[in-house]
Amino acid sequence: KAGVTQTPRYLIKTRGQQVTLSCSPISGHRSVSWYQQTPGQGLQFLFEYFSETQRNKGNFPGRFSGRQFSNSRSEMNVSTLELGDSALYLCASSFDGGKAGYTFGSGTRLTVV
Amino acid sequence: LAKTTQPISMDSYEGQEVNITCSHNNIATNDYITWYQQFPSQGPRFIIQGYKTKVTNEVASLFIPADRKSSTLSLPRVSLSDTAVYYCLVGLNYGGATNKLIFGTGTLLAVQP
């Protein structure tokens, strides 16, 4: 079966712009989580959605937001981009909140210039 | 959520067995222990998960002592392709309000020929 699909794979934006990243979870998975990975901070949790509701949120500013659609696909948006937002953004999906583990996508590499 | 401590790096040679130990002194009664593997520019990949004693699957074994304050991931006969960062995680709350993965710094395993 298809894995977690993230689009686009690479993205270059300039400071002040906004960006929207997309994640399609594994069919049947209702939980979608987002993570930011940088060399300095490692993997950090952004937020988690379950059945279109944000269930948990990490310690990121309000410029980072997300949503989940009825088909479980999720998007995350970053407004007013800063250089420090350059990172690999990863999406993970699970069926039962992680009991059988989370499946991650390959990520979107965002570069802010 | 329990904090984990792992060695920053480990070296090994092809064909050897590798054991990576993780400390999690304040693990809670309901916490499971999960290990992920990550290659550069890819999302983490679920390896194995356990609660107590020993768990084995087709790629690894997980040993958990009775007090559950540590765990050891065992990779039999590693190959060059096992060179990656390995993360130990504890503290998933299945179906509850806390469904996020807290990643530590991980262990960079370097396998040499």
Side-chain angles (χ1 to χ4, degrees):
Chain A
K1 58 181 179 181
V4 177
T5 303
Q6 291 189 247
T7 56
R9 281 286 281 135
Y10 302 93
L11 204 50
I12 299 176
K13 291 284 188 179
T14 57
R15 279 181 298 174
Q17 287 187 312
Q18 73 166 17
V19 67
T20 299
L21 311 181
S22 178
C23 172
S24 294
I26 289 175
S27 179
H29 285 193
R30 293 190 293 168
S31 170
V32 174
S33 304
W34 289 89
Y35 294 80
Q36 180 196 64
Q37 186 170 31
T38 59
Q41 299 297 320
L43 273 155
Q44 296 187 88
F45 172 79
L46 281 157
F47 29 66
E48 187 231 359
Y49 287 87
F50 185 86
S51 294
E52 302 180 65
T53 301
Q54 187 181 88
R55 196 160 60 170
N56 209 348
K57 190 176 189 302
N59 298 320
F60 278 81
R63 300 185 298 108
F64 292 81
S65 63
R67 59 177 176 170
Q68 186 179 33
F69 302 95
S70 58
N71 61 358
S72 292
R73 189 177 72 85
S74 178
E75 291 182 345
M76 69 162 282
N77 183 278
V78 187
S79 62
T80 319
L81 284 166
E82 302 176 358
L83 296 179
D85 296 333
S86 294
L88 179 67
Y89 289 88
L90 293 159
C91 164
S93 77
S94 72
F95 172 73
D96 53 2
K99 190 171 185 177
Y102 287 81
T103 302
F104 282 80
S106 296
T108 294
R109 172 73 64 184
L110 172 65
T111 302
V112 183
V113 297
Chain B
L1 297 171
K3 180 182 176 181
T4 61
T5 303
Q6 304 173 232
I8 293 176
S9 64
M10 293 183 67
D11 293 322
S12 182
Y13 292 94
E14 281 191 294
Q16 288 188 331
E17 177 185 73
V18 171
N19 296 309
I20 306 175
T21 297
C22 177
S23 296
H24 26 80
N25 291 322
N26 58 338
I27 188 170
T29 303
N30 295 330
D31 288 342
Y32 277 69
I33 300 159
T34 313
W35 286 80
Y36 284 81
Q37 174 195 55
Q38 186 179 26
F39 298 109
S41 297
Q42 294 186 26
R45 182 177 73 97
F46 175 87
I47 301 174
I48 197 167
Q49 182 172 265
Y51 183 80
K52 62 180 179 181
T53 63
K54 177 184 175 182
V55 179
T56 297
N57 62 22
E58 62 275 11
V59 298
S61 295
L62 178 59
F63 298 93
I64 305 169
D67 66 5
R68 304 201 326 122
K69 293 186 177 182
S70 67
S71 58
T72 299
L73 173 71
S74 181
L75 304 172
R77 297 179 297 282
V78 295
S79 64
L80 296 177
S81 63
D82 292 317
T83 294
V85 177
Y86 292 82
Y87 294 96
C88 162
L89 295 91
V90 299
L92 295 178
N93 183 3
Y94 303 105
T98 305
N99 289 292
K100 60 181 180 181
L101 302 179
I102 306 297
F103 286 85
T105 55
T107 298
L108 173 59
L109 172 65
V111 180
Q112 300 174 27

PDB file of all heavy atoms in Angstrom, chain A residues 30-31 48 50 55-56 94-100 102, chain B residues 30 32 91-100:
ATOM      1  N   ARG A  30      -5.995   7.961  10.590  1.00  0.00           N
ATOM      2  CA  ARG A  30      -6.733   9.196  10.898  1.00  0.00           C
ATOM      3  C   ARG A  30      -5.890  10.214  11.663  1.00  0.00           C
ATOM      4  O   ARG A  30      -6.283  11.366  11.796  1.00  0.00           O
ATOM      5  CB  ARG A  30      -7.982   8.867  11.704  1.00  0.00           C
ATOM      6  CG  ARG A  30      -9.031   8.080  10.915  1.00  0.00           C
ATOM      7  CD  ARG A  30     -10.332   7.992  11.671  1.00  0.00           C
ATOM      8  NE  ARG A  30     -10.197   7.185  12.880  1.00  0.00           N
ATOM      9  CZ  ARG A  30     -11.121   7.137  13.842  1.00  0.00           C
ATOM     10  NH1 ARG A  30     -12.202   7.875  13.759  1.00  0.00           N
ATOM     11  NH2 ARG A  30     -10.939   6.370  14.887  1.00  0.00           N
ATOM     12  N   SER A  31      -4.752   9.784  12.165  1.00  0.00           N
ATOM     13  CA  SER A  31      -3.887  10.689  12.908  1.00  0.00           C
ATOM     14  C   SER A  31      -2.732  11.147  12.032  1.00  0.00           C
ATOM     15  O   SER A  31      -2.053  10.330  11.403  1.00  0.00           O
ATOM     16  CB  SER A  31      -3.327   9.979  14.151  1.00  0.00           C
ATOM     17  OG  SER A  31      -2.315  10.745  14.745  1.00  0.00           O
ATOM     18  N   GLU A  48      -0.454  17.707  16.071  1.00  0.00           N
ATOM     19  CA  GLU A  48      -1.079  16.462  15.653  1.00  0.00           C
ATOM     20  C   GLU A  48      -2.558  16.674  15.415  1.00  0.00           C
ATOM     21  O   GLU A  48      -3.220  17.383  16.188  1.00  0.00           O
ATOM     22  CB  GLU A  48      -0.905  15.375  16.711  1.00  0.00           C
ATOM     23  CG  GLU A  48      -1.397  14.000  16.257  1.00  0.00           C
ATOM     24  CD  GLU A  48      -2.346  13.326  17.221  1.00  0.00           C
ATOM     25  OE1 GLU A  48      -2.640  13.901  18.284  1.00  0.00           O
ATOM     26  OE2 GLU A  48      -2.789  12.208  16.909  1.00  0.00           O
ATOM     27  N   PHE A  50      -6.311  14.708  14.461  1.00  0.00           N
ATOM     28  CA  PHE A  50      -7.059  13.453  14.458  1.00  0.00           C
ATOM     29  C   PHE A  50      -8.497  13.780  14.107  1.00  0.00           C
ATOM     30  O   PHE A  50      -9.128  14.584  14.802  1.00  0.00           O
ATOM     31  CB  PHE A  50      -6.964  12.764  15.817  1.00  0.00           C
ATOM     32  CG  PHE A  50      -7.612  11.412  15.866  1.00  0.00           C
ATOM     33  CD1 PHE A  50      -6.906  10.292  15.477  1.00  0.00           C
ATOM     34  CD2 PHE A  50      -8.914  11.269  16.299  1.00  0.00           C
ATOM     35  CE1 PHE A  50      -7.496   9.036  15.524  1.00  0.00           C
ATOM     36  CE2 PHE A  50      -9.508  10.022  16.342  1.00  0.00           C
ATOM     37  CZ  PHE A  50      -8.805   8.910  15.958  1.00  0.00           C
ATOM     38  N   ARG A  55      -5.230  17.874  18.101  1.00  0.00           N
ATOM     39  CA  ARG A  55      -5.300  17.189  19.384  1.00  0.00           C
ATOM     40  C   ARG A  55      -4.131  17.546  20.292  1.00  0.00           C
ATOM     41  O   ARG A  55      -4.214  17.408  21.504  1.00  0.00           O
ATOM     42  CB  ARG A  55      -5.348  15.684  19.151  1.00  0.00           C
ATOM     43  CG  ARG A  55      -5.788  14.865  20.324  1.00  0.00           C
ATOM     44  CD  ARG A  55      -6.285  13.492  19.914  1.00  0.00           C
ATOM     45  NE  ARG A  55      -5.293  12.686  19.235  1.00  0.00           N
ATOM     46  CZ  ARG A  55      -5.480  11.387  18.967  1.00  0.00           C
ATOM     47  NH1 ARG A  55      -6.583  10.792  19.346  1.00  0.00           N
ATOM     48  NH2 ARG A  55      -4.564  10.701  18.312  1.00  0.00           N
ATOM     49  N   ASN A  56      -3.041  18.001  19.698  1.00  0.00           N
ATOM     50  CA  ASN A  56      -1.864  18.317  20.493  1.00  0.00           C
ATOM     51  C   ASN A  56      -1.011  19.318  19.719  1.00  0.00           C
ATOM     52  O   ASN A  56      -1.021  19.333  18.488  1.00  0.00           O
ATOM     53  CB  ASN A  56      -1.063  17.047  20.771  1.00  0.00           C
ATOM     54  CG  ASN A  56      -0.299  17.129  22.073  1.00  0.00           C
ATOM     55  OD1 ASN A  56      -0.171  18.188  22.666  1.00  0.00           O
ATOM     56  ND2 ASN A  56       0.203  16.006  22.512  1.00  0.00           N
ATOM     57  N   SER A  94      -0.639   7.636  11.694  1.00  0.00           N
ATOM     58  CA  SER A  94      -0.864   6.398  12.430  1.00  0.00           C
ATOM     59  C   SER A  94      -2.346   6.091  12.450  1.00  0.00           C
ATOM     60  O   SER A  94      -3.190   6.972  12.256  1.00  0.00           O
ATOM     61  CB  SER A  94      -0.320   6.502  13.856  1.00  0.00           C
ATOM     62  OG  SER A  94      -1.150   7.352  14.635  1.00  0.00           O
ATOM     63  N   PHE A  95      -2.648   4.821  12.711  1.00  0.00           N
ATOM     64  CA  PHE A  95      -4.051   4.412  12.755  1.00  0.00           C
ATOM     65  C   PHE A  95      -4.639   4.593  14.134  1.00  0.00           C
ATOM     66  O   PHE A  95      -5.751   5.056  14.307  1.00  0.00           O
ATOM     67  CB  PHE A  95      -4.170   2.949  12.319  1.00  0.00           C
ATOM     68  CG  PHE A  95      -5.550   2.374  12.503  1.00  0.00           C
ATOM     69  CD1 PHE A  95      -6.582   2.746  11.655  1.00  0.00           C
ATOM     70  CD2 PHE A  95      -5.816   1.490  13.533  1.00  0.00           C
ATOM     71  CE1 PHE A  95      -7.861   2.231  11.833  1.00  0.00           C
ATOM     72  CE2 PHE A  95      -7.087   0.975  13.719  1.00  0.00           C
ATOM     73  CZ  PHE A  95      -8.106   1.341  12.864  1.00  0.00           C
ATOM     74  N   ASP A  96      -3.849   4.234  15.135  1.00  0.00           N
ATOM     75  CA  ASP A  96      -4.404   4.149  16.480  1.00  0.00           C
ATOM     76  C   ASP A  96      -3.640   4.996  17.478  1.00  0.00           C
ATOM     77  O   ASP A  96      -3.479   4.614  18.620  1.00  0.00           O
ATOM     78  CB  ASP A  96      -4.411   2.699  16.942  1.00  0.00           C
ATOM     79  CG  ASP A  96      -3.036   2.059  16.818  1.00  0.00           C
ATOM     80  OD1 ASP A  96      -2.100   2.773  16.404  1.00  0.00           O
ATOM     81  OD2 ASP A  96      -2.897   0.877  17.117  1.00  0.00           O
ATOM     82  N   GLY A  97      -3.141   6.142  17.023  1.00  0.00           N
ATOM     83  CA  GLY A  97      -2.434   7.015  17.952  1.00  0.00           C
ATOM     84  C   GLY A  97      -1.051   6.535  18.283  1.00  0.00           C
ATOM     85  O   GLY A  97      -0.470   6.943  19.279  1.00  0.00           O
ATOM     86  N   GLY A  98      -0.497   5.656  17.461  1.00  0.00           N
ATOM     87  CA  GLY A  98       0.896   5.295  17.644  1.00  0.00           C
ATOM     88  C   GLY A  98       1.161   3.954  18.269  1.00  0.00           C
ATOM     89  O   GLY A  98       2.321   3.579  18.442  1.00  0.00           O
ATOM     90  N   LYS A  99       0.127   3.200  18.598  1.00  0.00           N
ATOM     91  CA  LYS A  99       0.353   1.935  19.279  1.00  0.00           C
ATOM     92  C   LYS A  99       1.181   0.994  18.426  1.00  0.00           C
ATOM     93  O   LYS A  99       1.992   0.226  18.915  1.00  0.00           O
ATOM     94  CB  LYS A  99      -0.984   1.287  19.641  1.00  0.00           C
ATOM     95  CG  LYS A  99      -0.854   0.088  20.557  1.00  0.00           C
ATOM     96  CD  LYS A  99      -2.208  -0.360  21.043  1.00  0.00           C
ATOM     97  CE  LYS A  99      -2.072  -1.492  22.060  1.00  0.00           C
ATOM     98  NZ  LYS A  99      -3.387  -1.895  22.583  1.00  0.00           N
ATOM     99  N   ALA A 100       0.987   1.050  17.124  1.00  0.00           N
ATOM    100  CA  ALA A 100       1.766   0.212  16.210  1.00  0.00           C
ATOM    101  C   ALA A 100       2.846   1.022  15.520  1.00  0.00           C
ATOM    102  O   ALA A 100       3.353   0.617  14.489  1.00  0.00           O
ATOM    103  CB  ALA A 100       0.842  -0.431  15.186  1.00  0.00           C
ATOM    104  N   TYR A 102       4.438   4.981  14.234  1.00  0.00           N
ATOM    105  CA  TYR A 102       4.075   6.006  13.267  1.00  0.00           C
ATOM    106  C   TYR A 102       4.830   5.751  11.963  1.00  0.00           C
ATOM    107  O   TYR A 102       5.973   5.299  11.979  1.00  0.00           O
ATOM    108  CB  TYR A 102       4.454   7.393  13.789  1.00  0.00           C
ATOM    109  CG  TYR A 102       3.560   7.898  14.902  1.00  0.00           C
ATOM    110  CD1 TYR A 102       3.747   7.483  16.211  1.00  0.00           C
ATOM    111  CD2 TYR A 102       2.537   8.794  14.630  1.00  0.00           C
ATOM    112  CE1 TYR A 102       2.925   7.946  17.232  1.00  0.00           C
ATOM    113  CE2 TYR A 102       1.712   9.268  15.644  1.00  0.00           C
ATOM    114  CZ  TYR A 102       1.913   8.834  16.932  1.00  0.00           C
ATOM    115  OH  TYR A 102       1.097   9.286  17.935  1.00  0.00           O
TER     116      TYR A 102
ATOM    117  N   ASN B  30       2.401   3.328  31.984  1.00  0.00           N
ATOM    118  CA  ASN B  30       1.721   3.083  30.716  1.00  0.00           C
ATOM    119  C   ASN B  30       2.596   3.306  29.482  1.00  0.00           C
ATOM    120  O   ASN B  30       2.130   3.124  28.361  1.00  0.00           O
ATOM    121  CB  ASN B  30       0.495   3.992  30.592  1.00  0.00           C
ATOM    122  CG  ASN B  30      -0.555   3.665  31.633  1.00  0.00           C
ATOM    123  OD1 ASN B  30      -0.673   2.522  32.068  1.00  0.00           O
ATOM    124  ND2 ASN B  30      -1.305   4.662  32.038  1.00  0.00           N
ATOM    125  N   TYR B  32       5.238   2.849  26.539  1.00  0.00           N
ATOM    126  CA  TYR B  32       5.909   1.866  25.707  1.00  0.00           C
ATOM    127  C   TYR B  32       7.269   2.426  25.288  1.00  0.00           C
ATOM    128  O   TYR B  32       7.526   3.618  25.393  1.00  0.00           O
ATOM    129  CB  TYR B  32       5.080   1.554  24.460  1.00  0.00           C
ATOM    130  CG  TYR B  32       3.996   0.541  24.687  1.00  0.00           C
ATOM    131  CD1 TYR B  32       2.897   0.844  25.475  1.00  0.00           C
ATOM    132  CD2 TYR B  32       4.060  -0.716  24.110  1.00  0.00           C
ATOM    133  CE1 TYR B  32       1.896  -0.086  25.695  1.00  0.00           C
ATOM    134  CE2 TYR B  32       3.063  -1.655  24.312  1.00  0.00           C
ATOM    135  CZ  TYR B  32       1.982  -1.333  25.107  1.00  0.00           C
ATOM    136  OH  TYR B  32       1.000  -2.253  25.312  1.00  0.00           O
ATOM    137  N   GLY B  91       6.970   7.109  26.172  1.00  0.00           N
ATOM    138  CA  GLY B  91       5.986   8.081  26.615  1.00  0.00           C
ATOM    139  C   GLY B  91       4.787   8.254  25.717  1.00  0.00           C
ATOM    140  O   GLY B  91       4.094   9.256  25.808  1.00  0.00           O
ATOM    141  N   LEU B  92       4.506   7.328  24.813  1.00  0.00           N
ATOM    142  CA  LEU B  92       3.309   7.463  24.003  1.00  0.00           C
ATOM    143  C   LEU B  92       2.079   7.172  24.845  1.00  0.00           C
ATOM    144  O   LEU B  92       2.065   6.266  25.646  1.00  0.00           O
ATOM    145  CB  LEU B  92       3.341   6.496  22.821  1.00  0.00           C
ATOM    146  CG  LEU B  92       4.440   6.760  21.786  1.00  0.00           C
ATOM    147  CD1 LEU B  92       4.392   5.710  20.712  1.00  0.00           C
ATOM    148  CD2 LEU B  92       4.292   8.139  21.198  1.00  0.00           C
ATOM    149  N   ASN B  93       1.071   7.959  24.640  1.00  0.00           N
ATOM    150  CA  ASN B  93      -0.191   7.777  25.349  1.00  0.00           C
ATOM    151  C   ASN B  93      -1.248   7.433  24.321  1.00  0.00           C
ATOM    152  O   ASN B  93      -1.834   8.311  23.701  1.00  0.00           O
ATOM    153  CB  ASN B  93      -0.551   9.059  26.098  1.00  0.00           C
ATOM    154  CG  ASN B  93      -1.823   8.909  26.907  1.00  0.00           C
ATOM    155  OD1 ASN B  93      -2.421   7.839  26.953  1.00  0.00           O
ATOM    156  ND2 ASN B  93      -2.253   9.973  27.521  1.00  0.00           N
ATOM    157  N   TYR B  94      -1.450   6.162  24.115  1.00  0.00           N
ATOM    158  CA  TYR B  94      -2.277   5.716  23.013  1.00  0.00           C
ATOM    159  C   TYR B  94      -3.719   6.156  23.192  1.00  0.00           C
ATOM    160  O   TYR B  94      -4.368   5.840  24.170  1.00  0.00           O
ATOM    161  CB  TYR B  94      -2.213   4.194  22.887  1.00  0.00           C
ATOM    162  CG  TYR B  94      -0.801   3.744  22.706  1.00  0.00           C
ATOM    163  CD1 TYR B  94      -0.111   3.146  23.733  1.00  0.00           C
ATOM    164  CD2 TYR B  94      -0.143   3.973  21.515  1.00  0.00           C
ATOM    165  CE1 TYR B  94       1.208   2.754  23.583  1.00  0.00           C
ATOM    166  CE2 TYR B  94       1.174   3.590  21.352  1.00  0.00           C
ATOM    167  CZ  TYR B  94       1.842   2.984  22.384  1.00  0.00           C
ATOM    168  OH  TYR B  94       3.123   2.623  22.225  1.00  0.00           O
ATOM    169  N   GLY B  95      -4.182   6.897  22.208  1.00  0.00           N
ATOM    170  CA  GLY B  95      -5.572   7.311  22.201  1.00  0.00           C
ATOM    171  C   GLY B  95      -5.895   8.403  23.193  1.00  0.00           C
ATOM    172  O   GLY B  95      -7.013   8.857  23.272  1.00  0.00           O
ATOM    173  N   GLY B  96      -4.913   8.865  23.917  1.00  0.00           N
ATOM    174  CA  GLY B  96      -5.171   9.901  24.911  1.00  0.00           C
ATOM    175  C   GLY B  96      -4.850  11.277  24.394  1.00  0.00           C
ATOM    176  O   GLY B  96      -4.772  11.498  23.196  1.00  0.00           O
ATOM    177  N   ALA B  97      -4.645  12.187  25.302  1.00  0.00           N
ATOM    178  CA  ALA B  97      -4.427  13.581  24.920  1.00  0.00           C
ATOM    179  C   ALA B  97      -3.005  13.838  24.466  1.00  0.00           C
ATOM    180  O   ALA B  97      -2.739  14.849  23.834  1.00  0.00           O
ATOM    181  CB  ALA B  97      -4.768  14.489  26.092  1.00  0.00           C
ATOM    182  N   THR B  98      -2.099  12.960  24.770  1.00  0.00           N
ATOM    183  CA  THR B  98      -0.698  13.200  24.430  1.00  0.00           C
ATOM    184  C   THR B  98      -0.272  12.216  23.365  1.00  0.00           C
ATOM    185  O   THR B  98       0.074  11.084  23.661  1.00  0.00           O
ATOM    186  CB  THR B  98       0.192  13.044  25.669  1.00  0.00           C
ATOM    187  OG1 THR B  98      -0.302  13.904  26.674  1.00  0.00           O
ATOM    188  CG2 THR B  98       1.618  13.409  25.345  1.00  0.00           C
ATOM    189  N   ASN B  99      -0.328  12.622  22.127  1.00  0.00           N
ATOM    190  CA  ASN B  99       0.095  11.745  21.049  1.00  0.00           C
ATOM    191  C   ASN B  99       1.180  12.427  20.263  1.00  0.00           C
ATOM    192  O   ASN B  99       0.967  12.910  19.165  1.00  0.00           O
ATOM    193  CB  ASN B  99      -1.093  11.407  20.144  1.00  0.00           C
ATOM    194  CG  ASN B  99      -2.072  10.494  20.826  1.00  0.00           C
ATOM    195  OD1 ASN B  99      -1.779   9.342  21.084  1.00  0.00           O
ATOM    196  ND2 ASN B  99      -3.229  11.022  21.145  1.00  0.00           N
ATOM    197  N   LYS B 100       2.332  12.531  20.830  1.00  0.00           N
ATOM    198  CA  LYS B 100       3.441  13.135  20.118  1.00  0.00           C
ATOM    199  C   LYS B 100       4.706  12.382  20.477  1.00  0.00           C
ATOM    200  O   LYS B 100       4.841  11.818  21.552  1.00  0.00           O
ATOM    201  CB  LYS B 100       3.576  14.607  20.474  1.00  0.00           C
ATOM    202  CG  LYS B 100       3.838  14.888  21.952  1.00  0.00           C
ATOM    203  CD  LYS B 100       3.921  16.382  22.191  1.00  0.00           C
ATOM    204  CE  LYS B 100       4.170  16.701  23.656  1.00  0.00           C
ATOM    205  NZ  LYS B 100       4.220  18.172  23.899  1.00  0.00           N
TER     206      LYS B 100
END
